[in-house]
Amino acid sequence: MKSLKPVIHALEIRIRSMRNDPVAQIEAGSTFQAFAVGDKFHHNMFDTSAWHDLPQEGEVFFIVDKAHAIADIGTYIHHLVILCLAAAAPDHLA
């Protein structure tokens, strides 16, 4: 019987475009919650000193795009969730 490989979960944050370089990445041993386009994203727990286009007064980050990348690295599986954020007024979806 084939043994199951461990999975490394990673979350990568990009600002305004999936083509921009990541501003943050974290890894975990278990899966992250489900993210959806349109969700508010609170960035307060990250070191944002290198982030560009931070929300201005009265704005928050929203998830505007997301993608998954899964790779078999050999000894483990790598699951990367990429979130693209953009700042907007909190009621921009109303």
Side-chain angles (χ1 to χ4, degrees):
M1 181 172 168
K2 193 173 185 180
S3 63
L4 297 177
K5 295 179 182 181
V7 179
I8 301 296
H9 299 272
L11 175 66
E12 190 173 275
I13 307 295
R14 296 170 185 239
I15 307 293
R16 291 187 350 145
S17 172
M18 287 292 206
R19 292 182 179 182
N20 288 337
D21 290 333
V23 295
Q25 184 173 6
I26 56 175
E27 290 187 347
S30 61
T31 187
F32 295 98
Q33 72 165 35
F35 296 99
V37 171
D39 284 351
K40 289 181 185 175
F41 187 91
H42 295 281
H43 61 287
N44 308 30
M45 303 301 287
F46 289 91
D47 172 7
T48 58
S49 58
W51 290 34
H52 53 88
D53 293 334
L54 285 171
Q56 300 300 306
E57 183 71 30
E59 293 182 328
V60 296
F61 272 131
F62 284 92
I63 298 171
V64 295
D65 199 0
K66 70 176 186 172
H68 295 265
I70 299 173
D72 185 339
I73 306 300
T75 58
Y76 66 94
I77 304 295
H78 191 262
H79 177 202
L80 173 64
V81 177
I82 305 165
L83 299 179
C84 182
L85 310 178
D91 61 352
H92 90 282
L93 294 176

